[in-house]
Amino acid sequence: MMAAPGQGPWRGFFVLGVGMQSKIHIEDVHHSYTTPDGPLPVLAGLTLDVQEGGFVAVVGPSGCGKSTLTRLISGLMVPDQGLVAIDGQRVKGPRSTVGMAFQNPVLLEWRTIMDNILLPLEIVPNKLGKSERIERARYLLSLVGLSGFEDKRPSELSGGMRQRASLCRALVHSPDILILDEPFGALDAFTREDLWQTMHEVKDQEPFTGVLITHDLRESIFLADQVVVLSGRPAKTQFTLDVPNTGPRDLEHLYTPEASEMLAVLRHQIEIAQHRAPAEEETA
Ligand SMILES: Nc1ncnc2c1ncn2[C@@H]1O[C@H](COP(=O)(O)OP(=O)(O)OP(=O)(O)O)[C@@H](O)[C@H]1O
Ligand SMILES: [Mg+2]
């Protein structure tokens, strides 16, 4: 017989079968917000697994609950119902080993770029001494092409450079999970594509499991090894696309027939998510 959650030799762990092997396991999650007009159901039966070292892109209609999902993974919220587990353990509160970057980099203007990047190391417990912290920050800055900008203030940097700095800040404490909530959404097309390539270089060097929220389908197949389409609100997992290892990793590969086919499939799924209520879909 299986041990009950939190009991026996599995104390603190959940016997989840397949989900046990996942880095991030989200199972049948339901969540509503309390609003003056009553509860607003946002997630209704969302299921998602991300393997260790995997990079999953989550796409779906505006307002369907994608940022809510990131809050659940980072432990800033717990769901009303269902399971959010990391390394087989239920997430019950904020985790310090998560790194996050958002559409608006929110760098502190009164701090230099170096001091902005070092901020998480001042908050998250770690064993790094001062010179090791600076070395780590310098290494990340060089990885994203920002060497030499350590002493600048955020306002002296372009939008793309600020986003690169925010990526360094998200990674400085070596998080095991990196959550990116539309980090490139506000950038112009050229800067965005530049950052996609930087992301690949970063991913090759830093061993994290990634969740990327995006509205850009090209970005999703360029960066992720799996793309999950959420239905309209209240969201559940509508469709999952595995991007083969041979998927686009150079910008020119986005124009191959294989990439075009993946994009057409995803576009079709987004149309379904935008125009059909989830209940209709089930009976279709
Ligand atoms: N704290 C909150 N209280 C009440 N309602 C909320 C709260 N946070 C989000 N919502 C509502 O929940 C729904 C889902 O919000 P969420 O931010 O998760 O969507 P999203 O998919 O990230 O949207 P977008 O694509 O615009 O970023 C929206 O209708 C939003 O207005
Ligand atoms: Mg959002």
Side-chain angles (χ1 to χ4, degrees), residues 77 86 140 182 283:
M77 283 178 0
I86 292 176
L140 289 170
E182 296 189 56
T283 51

PDB file of all heavy atoms in Angstrom, residues 77 86 140 182 283:
ATOM      1  N   MET A  77       2.174  31.550  -4.045  1.00  0.00           N
ATOM      2  CA  MET A  77       0.775  31.209  -3.739  1.00  0.00           C
ATOM      3  C   MET A  77       0.661  29.694  -3.703  1.00  0.00           C
ATOM      4  O   MET A  77       1.461  29.007  -4.340  1.00  0.00           O
ATOM      5  CB  MET A  77      -0.133  31.685  -4.884  1.00  0.00           C
ATOM      6  CG  MET A  77      -0.417  33.144  -4.909  1.00  0.00           C
ATOM      7  SD  MET A  77      -1.455  33.652  -6.310  1.00  0.00           S
ATOM      8  CE  MET A  77      -1.788  32.195  -7.216  1.00  0.00           C
ATOM      9  N   ILE A  86       7.824  20.146  -6.435  1.00  0.00           N
ATOM     10  CA  ILE A  86       9.167  20.282  -7.016  1.00  0.00           C
ATOM     11  C   ILE A  86      10.032  19.215  -6.388  1.00  0.00           C
ATOM     12  O   ILE A  86      10.005  19.033  -5.150  1.00  0.00           O
ATOM     13  CB  ILE A  86       9.726  21.695  -6.778  1.00  0.00           C
ATOM     14  CG1 ILE A  86       8.896  22.687  -7.617  1.00  0.00           C
ATOM     15  CG2 ILE A  86      11.201  21.779  -7.167  1.00  0.00           C
ATOM     16  CD1 ILE A  86       9.236  24.124  -7.450  1.00  0.00           C
ATOM     17  N   LEU A 140      28.542  36.083 -15.053  1.00  0.00           N
ATOM     18  CA  LEU A 140      27.230  36.135 -15.702  1.00  0.00           C
ATOM     19  C   LEU A 140      27.138  37.330 -16.648  1.00  0.00           C
ATOM     20  O   LEU A 140      26.596  37.213 -17.754  1.00  0.00           O
ATOM     21  CB  LEU A 140      26.116  36.199 -14.643  1.00  0.00           C
ATOM     22  CG  LEU A 140      25.916  34.890 -13.875  1.00  0.00           C
ATOM     23  CD1 LEU A 140      24.971  35.100 -12.688  1.00  0.00           C
ATOM     24  CD2 LEU A 140      25.357  33.786 -14.782  1.00  0.00           C
ATOM     25  N   GLU A 182       7.389  36.441 -19.792  1.00  0.00           N
ATOM     26  CA  GLU A 182       7.448  37.369 -20.929  1.00  0.00           C
ATOM     27  C   GLU A 182       8.630  38.336 -20.857  1.00  0.00           C
ATOM     28  O   GLU A 182       8.466  39.547 -21.026  1.00  0.00           O
ATOM     29  CB  GLU A 182       6.143  38.182 -21.001  1.00  0.00           C
ATOM     30  CG  GLU A 182       4.926  37.338 -21.268  1.00  0.00           C
ATOM     31  CD  GLU A 182       3.706  38.196 -21.556  1.00  0.00           C
ATOM     32  OE1 GLU A 182       3.795  39.022 -22.486  1.00  0.00           O
ATOM     33  OE2 GLU A 182       2.703  38.060 -20.863  1.00  0.00           O
ATOM     34  N   THR A 283     -16.193  18.394 -25.366  1.00  0.00           N
ATOM     35  CA  THR A 283     -17.235  17.613 -26.004  1.00  0.00           C
ATOM     36  C   THR A 283     -17.100  17.622 -27.528  1.00  0.00           C
ATOM     37  O   THR A 283     -17.844  16.971 -28.228  1.00  0.00           O
ATOM     38  CB  THR A 283     -18.626  18.197 -25.641  1.00  0.00           C
ATOM     39  OG1 THR A 283     -18.583  19.589 -25.914  1.00  0.00           O
ATOM     40  CG2 THR A 283     -18.944  17.984 -24.172  1.00  0.00           C
TER      41      THR A 283
END
